[in-house]
Amino acid sequence: MSRRDLSAATSLCGLLLLSSVAGIAPARAQSAYQPAPPGPGEADAPGKAGNKFAGPSPFAPQAPGVNAANIPDGPPAEPGEVTPAVEQIGSHPAHGDWPAYGRDTDATRYSPLEQITPANVGQLTRAFVYHTGSKPAPGQVNKWAAETTPIKVGDGLYMCSAMNDIMKLDPATGKEIWRHDAGVKYASIPYTAACKGVVYYTSSTVPEGEPCHNRILEGTLDMRLIEVDADTGKLCEGFGYHGQVNLMKGMGESVPGFVSMTAPPPIVNGAIVVNHEVLDGQRRWAPSGVIRGYDAETGKFLWAWDVNRPDAHGEPAEGQHYSRGTPNSWATMTGDDALGLVYVPTGNSAADYYSAMRSPEENKVSSAIVALDVKTGSPRWVFQTVHKDVWDYDIGSQPTMIDFPGQDGPVPALVVPTKRGQTFVLDRRDGKPLLPVEERPAPTDTDVEGDPRSPTQPWSVGMPRLGLPDLKESDMWGMSPIDQLFCRLKFRRAKYEGEFTAPSVGKPWIEYPGYNGGSDWGSMAYDPRTGVLIANWNVTPMYDQLVTRKKADELGLMPLDDPNFKPGGGGAEGNGAMADTPYGIVVSPFWNQYTHMMCNKPPYGMITAIDMHTRKVLWQHPLGSARANGPWGIPTYLPLTIGTPNNGGPVVTAGGVVFVAATTDNMLHAFDAKTGKELWNDVLPGGGQATPMTYEHKGRQYVAIMAGGHHFMMTPVSDALVVYALPENK
């Protein structure tokens, strides 16, 4: 499930932890636990009483879906064959381009540019600032967090706004060349208004020089695929219904904001592979997490992978829908043209913190990498990073493809970052670990009836862990002895048995790493020349407790699709109704709620370089300063590097420089790739919760970062894309 953010933590030196998840809404109308008829993928027949996987019937009437563009559904489609595709530029990017979200189809976030070096990076100045125009309007609740990484191809810098407008800019000046208004409405924003990026596609059927030979593709918050001409921004009429495809087809009952796309879909051998976010914390029988393929030329449906309908790859028949509540995938996927696979990072089934109602099929593929055949949608292999996940440890990072040194030569490998800080290295051909993975005993003590935990969990012992030791009472911390005592008492009150402490109803439990620990959606960067992997990561615990359905109703927790739902009534990144189950969930940071400071001592964010030849840490240190943070939300302006929570990834260049923003100090940072020394930084007009990129245009190297801010990180929201370059030689 999609938990891509965590509130920032404060420290005595100025690290603010956000308070937004702490509030509890006043009581509202009840939303009682009422098991429904059995759902798909169950052992018992539909309608049979006593089925433990109770859920809506797969044959229930389909309610009208969210369809912002009024795109006709058409009859249900059977699996189809893709239009043969030409090789796309992301496979072999031009030297100065950044044509894909991760720069290349391997998702390395590595650029061969070397004009900017450790010796001159300190001379960077702003070349231009572009404003997308996408910010909260007066009276609107701030849900903005653009998270955008632009792409650059030839003479165009392409990007999307937080609300899915698509723009082409002049790479040297930031002048807007064209803009496509996507028409997304505020009601369609799920937890966050975000658009991580767009996709560049070259047609195999439209001749060069004709409209829509080169195209820009995006998925939208209101569940559409849109293709526009890269030169003009006009819709590609031959794609879908006048340039758009309705992704709510077959999804069944929903409301605006329940399901959405925020990540750029990969195009693999001509197939657009589509995943989507399903809003956390709502109900067990939420909309499906189905993965689908569409023809990049025509928008025609190709196949579906529906976990509880494993042999049904077509669209559901009239009056039916995809199986509900299945694990969804909201992270950016990685496509492998050579093997004909797409690597899908999955999350939990709906109702993250309670697993008793999940089907065996769901338990096999949650919090995993699933390699799907892009011709058929069938899984080739599955590697699971957490068994029976009830900690929201979904995989938020885009996996990276590398050539791993093997005894008989390079092995096609996949690097898989996780929220646990465990990094798995797999053979892309079969999903088997290339480095040792151990199944270690995990805590199983729980007072949640009928929901036993897995006795073991996987640990990647062949890679350095991106994490810190388990918490101890003596580690409790605060700005005064009284604050420290408060946190020690809070620690004693909670259940804590180390990583994978099982959920509890009778008392709170500490989740550490928290659901934004380790690597989240920013992913990692890999330099294929040196074999060095760069990762920034979080160390932030959570304080969780399951509550009875009666208590959840008293707290006013209800799902988004409840007629009585109002903002603040429970949702993603905090307290949730988990309707259709016996429990709700109360989630908060493990903090002092009076000072808004974490109970564990800093650092809360780190950056690490790992030599993949030896799997040794080359350098590691805290990431982020206290300048914009402080107790009670008061900035200290202290230039102390203490390590702040961060969201957004790094990039690395042949020039030997690592660029990363992500932190709650609202800065873009540059580090020496060899030593980790900070070489330069600049204060941004908003929070830098995005992954930067770099490109070359007319002999000049630029570095771009979307300083859109983040509502949940409580960094300043702006609409500014900030682009840097060295001073021009005159």
Side-chain angles (χ1 to χ4, degrees):
M1 300 294 288
S2 64
R3 278 202 207 277
R4 55 188 55 81
D5 323 293
L6 178 66
S7 56
T10 60
S11 74
L12 178 61
C13 301
L15 185 57
L16 168 65
L17 176 63
L18 310 183
S19 59
S20 59
V21 298
I24 296 177
R28 298 194 179 95
Q30 292 190 348
S31 177
Y33 167 52
Q34 297 177 338
E42 300 167 2
D44 299 332
K48 183 176 179 180
N51 189 297
K52 68 180 288 188
F53 304 119
S57 167
F59 307 108
Q62 177 178 339
V66 180
N67 190 346
N70 297 314
I71 305 168
D73 279 353
E78 294 297 319
E81 293 188 5
V82 70
T83 304
V86 297
E87 184 178 64
Q88 299 300 304
I89 56 175
S91 300
H92 298 92
H95 183 80
D97 281 357
W98 190 285
Y101 175 70
R103 202 265 164 174
D104 46 42
T105 53
D106 290 344
T108 62
R109 278 163 273 279
Y110 162 78
S111 170
L113 298 179
E114 49 190 2
Q115 185 178 93
I116 299 171
T117 69
N120 62 24
V121 67
Q123 301 174 36
L124 284 179
T125 59
R126 293 187 182 184
F128 63 85
V129 177
Y130 170 76
H131 295 278
T132 68
S134 182
K135 292 191 294 186
Q140 290 181 338
V141 175
N142 175 23
K143 294 185 174 184
W144 265 248
E147 302 178 356
T148 312
T149 299
I151 63 172
K152 189 267 185 182
V153 180
D155 65 351
L157 190 64
Y158 301 92
M159 65 179 296
C160 48
S161 73
M163 293 292 282
N164 295 126
D165 290 350
I166 309 173
M167 294 80 77
K168 178 181 181 180
L169 311 180
D170 183 305
T173 66
K175 178 183 178 182
E176 187 175 286
I177 298 171
W178 57 253
R179 183 186 191 99
H180 174 81
D181 185 348
V184 173
K185 306 300 183 186
Y186 178 81
S188 294
I189 300 175
Y191 179 65
T192 294
C195 180
K196 289 187 175 67
V198 296
V199 181
Y200 193 93
Y201 177 71
T202 299
S203 171
S204 62
T205 62
V206 177
E208 187 173 358
E210 295 293 319
C212 291
H213 172 67
N214 293 316
R215 312 176 186 186
I216 303 298
L217 164 74
E218 74 164 352
T220 66
L221 297 173
D222 57 7
M223 292 294 285
R224 288 174 287 154
L225 287 178
I226 299 176
E227 274 193 3
V228 300
D229 180 73
D231 291 330
T232 66
K234 295 181 179 179
L235 289 167
C236 294
E237 290 289 326
F239 179 80
Y241 181 75
H242 300 293
Q244 304 181 81
V245 172
N246 174 24
L247 298 176
M248 287 307 298
K249 184 180 180 184
M251 292 296 288
E253 292 186 16
S254 188
V255 295
F258 211 152
V259 290
S260 60
M261 284 189 69
T262 60
I267 299 176
V268 193
N269 293 337
I272 305 169
V273 183
V274 172
N275 64 356
H276 57 267
E277 163 189 346
V278 180
L279 195 64
D280 275 359
Q282 306 305 305
R283 60 171 63 252
R284 172 64 186 102
W285 306 119
S288 179
V290 62
I291 307 294
R292 290 168 286 180
Y294 295 87
D295 191 301
E297 292 287 336
T298 66
K300 179 182 68 175
F301 172 85
L302 297 175
W303 50 259
W305 175 55
D306 186 1
V307 171
N308 283 332
R309 300 165 65 247
D311 299 320
H313 292 292
E315 292 183 321
E318 290 290 340
Q320 300 181 20
H321 53 71
Y322 296 112
S323 54
R324 295 179 74 84
T326 52
N328 75 86
S329 169
W330 56 267
T332 305
M333 299 175 286
T334 303
D336 190 333
D337 290 307
L339 294 179
L341 297 174
V342 61
Y343 305 110
V344 182
T346 67
N348 298 359
S349 301
D352 293 70
Y353 299 92
Y354 181 70
S355 65
M357 298 169 69
R358 300 173 188 171
S359 72
E361 291 82 2
E362 292 170 61
N363 281 331
K364 291 176 184 176
V365 300
S366 66
S367 299
I369 295 293
V370 180
L372 297 182
D373 187 315
V374 296
K375 287 186 177 180
T376 66
S378 297
R380 291 248 201 106
W381 55 259
V382 177
F383 180 85
Q384 193 164 56
T385 64
V386 179
H387 307 317
K388 288 190 73 176
D389 183 3
V390 286
W391 302 274
D392 197 19
Y393 285 157
D394 48 359
I395 302 177
S397 289
Q398 180 184 30
T400 295
M401 299 195 297
I402 70 171
D403 289 329
F404 187 79
Q407 292 182 346
D408 300 321
V411 177
L414 193 70
V415 177
V416 181
T418 69
K419 291 182 177 181
R420 295 175 52 209
Q422 300 289 319
T423 305
F424 298 93
V425 182
L426 312 176
D427 189 321
R428 300 204 304 267
R429 298 167 295 188
D430 55 20
K432 294 180 179 179
L434 293 171
L435 295 173
V437 174
E438 292 181 358
E439 287 287 336
R440 294 182 176 177
T444 57
D445 178 49
T446 179
D447 62 357
V448 183
E449 294 184 9
D451 195 14
R453 304 275 38 89
S454 172
T456 65
Q457 294 289 354
W459 289 74
S460 178
V461 297
M463 284 287 289
R465 180 189 179 200
L466 302 180
L468 298 177
D470 287 348
L471 298 174
K472 303 189 302 293
E473 183 181 334
S474 58
D475 292 333
M476 297 302 100
W477 187 83
M479 61 184 295
S480 72
I482 294 177
D483 296 316
Q484 186 184 73
L485 176 62
F486 177 90
C487 287
R488 292 184 71 150
L489 292 173
K490 195 168 183 177
F491 182 89
R492 286 190 183 185
R493 178 173 173 258
K495 175 185 176 184
Y496 181 63
E497 299 173 353
E499 190 166 341
F500 295 113
T501 297
S504 173
V505 183
K507 62 194 307 186
W509 86 91
I510 296 174
E511 178 189 343
Y512 184 67
Y515 60 64
N516 198 41
S519 300
D520 204 351
W521 54 264
S523 311
M524 297 178 171
Y526 177 70
D527 186 336
R529 304 168 313 139
T530 62
V532 173
L533 188 70
I534 307 291
N536 53 290
W537 46 282
N538 287 304
V539 197
T540 44
M542 302 300 292
Y543 206 72
D544 308 337
Q545 186 171 4
L546 290 172
V547 295
T548 64
R549 178 56 49 202
K550 179 180 178 181
K551 182 65 173 178
D553 291 339
E554 291 174 356
L555 295 174
L557 303 181
M558 60 186 64
L560 181 71
D561 56 359
D562 189 298
N564 297 302
F565 178 85
K566 295 180 181 179
E573 313 303 347
N575 303 337
M578 297 207 308
D580 312 319
T581 80
Y583 303 103
I585 183 67
V586 174
V587 179
S588 69
F590 181 36
W591 66 346
N592 183 325
Q593 58 264 40
Y594 302 105
T595 61
H596 296 178
M597 293 166 55
M598 289 299 283
C599 280
N600 62 313
K601 60 186 178 184
Y604 308 114
M606 303 282 286
I607 185 167
T608 301
I610 300 171
D611 185 336
M612 290 300 291
H613 297 287
T614 63
R615 273 79 68 192
K616 302 295 185 183
V617 172
L618 298 177
W619 51 263
Q620 176 173 288
H621 56 71
L623 174 65
S625 74
R627 62 163 299 278
N629 308 294
W632 304 289
I634 302 172
T636 65
Y637 302 103
L638 294 174
L640 301 176
T641 300
I642 52 177
T644 74
N646 53 90
N647 268 318
V651 303
V652 60
T653 72
V657 181
V658 173
F659 291 99
V660 63
T663 52
T664 58
D665 59 9
N666 310 324
M667 301 179 81
L668 177 63
H669 303 265
F671 298 97
D672 188 315
K674 289 184 178 180
T675 67
K677 178 182 178 182
E678 184 162 4
L679 304 168
W680 169 88
N681 58 58
D682 188 48
V683 177
L684 300 168
Q689 282 67 56
T691 301
M693 53 85 75
T694 184
Y695 62 90
E696 184 180 70
H697 184 66
K698 295 183 178 179
R700 194 180 188 196
Q701 184 180 352
Y702 298 81
V703 178
I705 179 68
M706 182 65 206
H710 205 291
H711 65 107
F712 196 31
M713 300 287 283
M714 288 191 73
T715 55
V717 169
S718 86
D719 64 346
L721 175 75
V722 185
V723 180
Y724 299 87
L726 296 174
E728 293 187 273
N729 294 323
K730 296 183 179 179

